[in-house]
Amino acid sequence: MPTSLALSSAYDATLNRLSALAQLTPEDIEALRELLGEGKPVTQPSIVLSGWAARTRLFSDGRRQILGFLLPGELIGFCSQRDPLATTTISALTEVNLCAAPQQGSAGLAEAYAFSGALEEFFLFRHIARLGRMSAYERLIDWLLEIRDRLAISGLSVGDSFRVPLTQEALADTLGLTSVHVNRMLQLLRREGLIVSRGGMVRLPDPARLEEIVDYRPAVIARTQ
Amino acid sequence: MPTSLALSSAYDATLNRLSALAQLTPEDIEALRELLGEGKPVTQPSIVLSGWAARTRLFSDGRRQILGFLLPGELIGFCSQRDPLATTTISALTEVNLCAAPQQGSAGLAEAYAFSGALEEFFLFRHIARLGRMSAYERLIDWLLEIRDRLAISGLSVGDSFRVPLTQEALADTLGLTSVHVNRMLQLLRREGLIVSRGGMVRLPDPARLEEIVDYRPAVIARTQ
DNA sequence: CGGCGGTTTGAAATCTGTCAAGCGGGGTGG
DNA sequence: CCACCCCGCTTGACAGATTTCAAACCGCCG
């Protein structure tokens, strides 16, 4: 059960995540381990090995909206970005390592992919609700909780501490706010003791309180059997 | 080529849309026509025959966000709503007729489904950008243009006139605004001569101007060959 | 040391929400 | 047939959240 592994090499995160989403055979894991070891950049359906990437829409007048993040262990280009519809750009926010996703594997691997796709859609829905109906304060909290959970799936979140390698400007472009206002809300949360952050690391001392504030509903990861 | 059919019976809209998305065989069309004729309500992957439905998130304090619409000819439950993730509700906004989607058909039908899924994701991305980075005025315009295009695929939009069976409150829950403000923006657009509406019908006299205002990028529907 | 990107701060402007009341049409029951 | 009611649309005055603009601050690197 790799779910409780500590942070270590780049592909551990991916293995953690995929085997959290479905039951993988030892052969699947071996196949993944081989591929992940190479880490060559691809444009095919891929897996993020390490780093943060973002799907972005840029407006002609310079406004920018981050549509979603691609975190370690998450998949790119499966159901998405079909030929004629590529109005969105995927760009790396940090150093990113990709690798091609194994196309055929066991039913377990296919299930992990499918589940990953469902999760992606789930996060899109949550992002919409966040932008449409939450205050700036709530948006920040809700987003932090989501990122905590997503990183936890890959084992990159340790006891409500995790790394967020974003500028406040990028965060603003995610949450539909200005960087100035993101700054103010972050300070408020810090003053209230609801977040502790230093050098890109974030800790949530009282997650239960945060979840209550935003009526947070985690994505339930329940294997089909 | 059914793309230019006038509005007629319920299943014409669906046939129009699916054959706009991919090349269907006469057998596909016949199979669809049979199924669509029945119109029995299902919980399986389904096709909206007529009417508007919406995927909605309700907050515990009563706030509501409409995550997306399901219009005639569009598909439900394909990539979506996997078991553990059903935090969203689909509800009918008007009388809705559904039918089960034919599960196996020609490659053309499969392609139409895949394309439909890609379109759905595209609309989700656009919705996010709309909510995150557009003013109330722009959100309204952008949404109207999208609906015009989506209805046009099923032949339900005639020369920039189409039917929008929503209350201003529902529109507000879509665009992340209050109904009061939606009302004001609608009046502004009417005063400016950019929209004409009566009894649920909307006409856009100067779509080019609208598209320019919001930097509108239509979803390109290009067959794979 | 100077410059640079990112963060922090303040004051004022703007957009959007809130509250509350009036209006209008369509349906229902007397 | 009319009175009434309900829901959705409209309007106004006001409050509040968020943006804008501008400057200062900070750590880091060349």
Side-chain angles (χ1 to χ4, degrees):
Chain A
M1 289 291 97
T3 359
S4 55
L5 284 181
L7 325 182
S8 44
S9 74
Y11 56 64
D12 273 355
T14 302
L15 284 180
N16 285 343
R17 194 179 117 100
L18 291 183
S19 48
L21 298 184
Q23 188 72 45
L24 300 186
T25 66
E27 294 79 48
D28 285 332
I29 295 186
E30 198 40 54
L32 281 169
R33 198 174 287 280
E34 279 178 20
L35 264 166
L36 302 185
E38 312 178 0
K40 54 191 167 197
V42 226
T43 47
Q44 309 311 321
S46 306
I47 302 181
V48 178
L49 284 183
S50 66
W52 286 41
R55 203 188 301 272
T56 298
R57 159 135 187 224
L58 202 59
F59 291 71
S60 53
D61 63 358
R63 279 178 286 185
R64 185 174 77 144
Q65 176 65 42
I66 291 184
L67 305 168
F69 291 102
L70 299 160
L71 306 184
E74 299 185 343
L75 306 173
I76 308 185
F78 270 77
C79 206
S80 351
Q81 57 177 178
R82 268 204 192 44
D83 329 310
L85 300 180
T87 322
T88 73
T89 310
I90 295 183
S91 54
L93 301 174
T94 67
E95 293 280 305
V96 169
N97 285 308
L98 288 183
C99 74
Q103 279 300 32
Q104 301 303 338
S106 73
L109 193 57
E111 188 190 331
Y113 288 175
F115 204 109
S116 190
L119 271 179
E120 188 186 332
E121 188 180 43
F122 177 84
F123 295 137
L124 287 181
F125 287 147
R126 175 144 61 198
H127 201 181
I128 290 173
R130 185 156 51 216
L131 291 169
R133 279 293 176 242
M134 287 187 175
S135 70
Y137 183 78
E138 294 168 322
R139 286 181 213 180
L140 252 175
I141 294 175
D142 188 68
W143 183 84
L144 284 169
L145 290 171
E146 176 178 314
I147 292 303
R148 176 202 59 173
D149 287 352
R150 286 169 68 173
L151 291 176
I153 298 180
S154 324
L156 292 176
S157 180
V158 191
D160 292 309
S161 275
F162 48 96
R163 187 160 168 61
V164 178
L166 296 185
T167 66
Q168 293 181 4
E169 176 120 27
L171 200 41
D173 287 337
T174 303
L175 301 179
L177 302 167
T178 355
S179 62
V180 173
H181 206 235
V182 165
N183 183 286
R184 288 197 248 260
M185 292 300 108
L186 281 173
Q187 290 178 64
L188 177 52
L189 284 169
R190 281 194 282 253
R191 253 181 282 133
E192 293 174 329
L194 290 173
I195 73 175
V196 180
S197 64
R198 264 196 26 261
M201 286 297 292
V202 176
R203 188 164 61 86
L204 310 180
D206 188 354
R209 175 88 192 91
L210 294 177
E211 295 181 15
E212 182 197 339
I213 292 176
V214 298
D215 185 23
Y216 185 75
R217 326 228 187 110
V220 180
I221 304 220
R223 300 259 176 75
T224 332
Q225 43 113 359
Chain B
M1 293 293 98
T3 358
S4 57
L5 284 181
L7 326 181
S8 43
S9 74
Y11 56 64
D12 274 354
T14 301
L15 284 180
N16 286 342
R17 195 179 115 99
L18 291 183
S19 48
L21 298 185
Q23 188 73 46
L24 300 186
T25 66
E27 294 78 49
D28 285 332
I29 296 187
E30 198 42 53
L32 281 169
R33 199 176 285 281
E34 277 178 21
L35 264 167
L36 303 185
E38 312 178 0
K40 55 192 168 198
V42 226
T43 47
Q44 310 310 321
S46 305
I47 303 181
V48 177
L49 284 183
S50 65
W52 286 42
R55 201 187 302 274
T56 298
R57 158 133 188 227
L58 202 58
F59 291 72
S60 53
D61 62 359
R63 281 179 285 185
R64 186 174 74 145
Q65 176 65 42
I66 291 184
L67 305 168
F69 291 101
L70 299 161
L71 307 184
E74 299 186 343
L75 306 173
I76 308 184
F78 270 77
C79 205
S80 352
Q81 56 177 179
R82 264 198 199 49
D83 329 312
L85 301 180
T87 323
T88 72
T89 311
I90 295 184
S91 54
L93 300 173
T94 68
E95 292 279 304
V96 168
N97 284 308
L98 288 183
C99 75
Q103 279 301 33
Q104 302 302 341
S106 73
L109 193 56
E111 189 190 333
Y113 288 175
F115 203 108
S116 190
L119 271 179
E120 188 185 332
E121 188 180 43
F122 176 85
F123 295 138
L124 287 182
F125 288 147
R126 174 144 61 198
H127 201 181
I128 290 173
R130 186 156 52 214
L131 291 169
R133 279 295 176 239
M134 288 187 175
S135 70
Y137 183 79
E138 294 167 323
R139 286 182 212 181
L140 211 32
I141 293 175
D142 188 69
W143 183 83
L144 284 168
L145 290 171
E146 175 178 313
I147 293 302
R148 176 202 60 173
D149 287 352
R150 287 168 67 174
L151 291 176
I153 298 179
S154 324
L156 292 175
S157 180
V158 192
D160 292 309
S161 275
F162 48 95
R163 187 161 169 62
V164 177
L166 296 185
T167 66
Q168 293 182 3
E169 175 120 27
L171 201 40
D173 287 337
T174 303
L175 301 180
L177 302 167
T178 37
S179 62
V180 174
H181 203 59
V182 165
N183 183 285
R184 288 196 250 259
M185 292 300 108
L186 281 173
Q187 289 178 65
L188 178 53
L189 285 168
R190 281 196 281 253
R191 253 180 282 132
E192 294 174 328
L194 290 173
I195 72 176
V196 180
S197 63
R198 263 195 27 258
M201 286 297 292
V202 176
R203 188 165 60 86
L204 309 179
D206 188 354
R209 175 88 191 94
L210 295 176
E211 294 181 16
E212 183 197 337
I213 293 177
V214 297
D215 184 24
Y216 186 74
R217 327 229 185 111
V220 181
I221 304 220
R223 298 259 177 74
T224 330
Q225 42 113 359

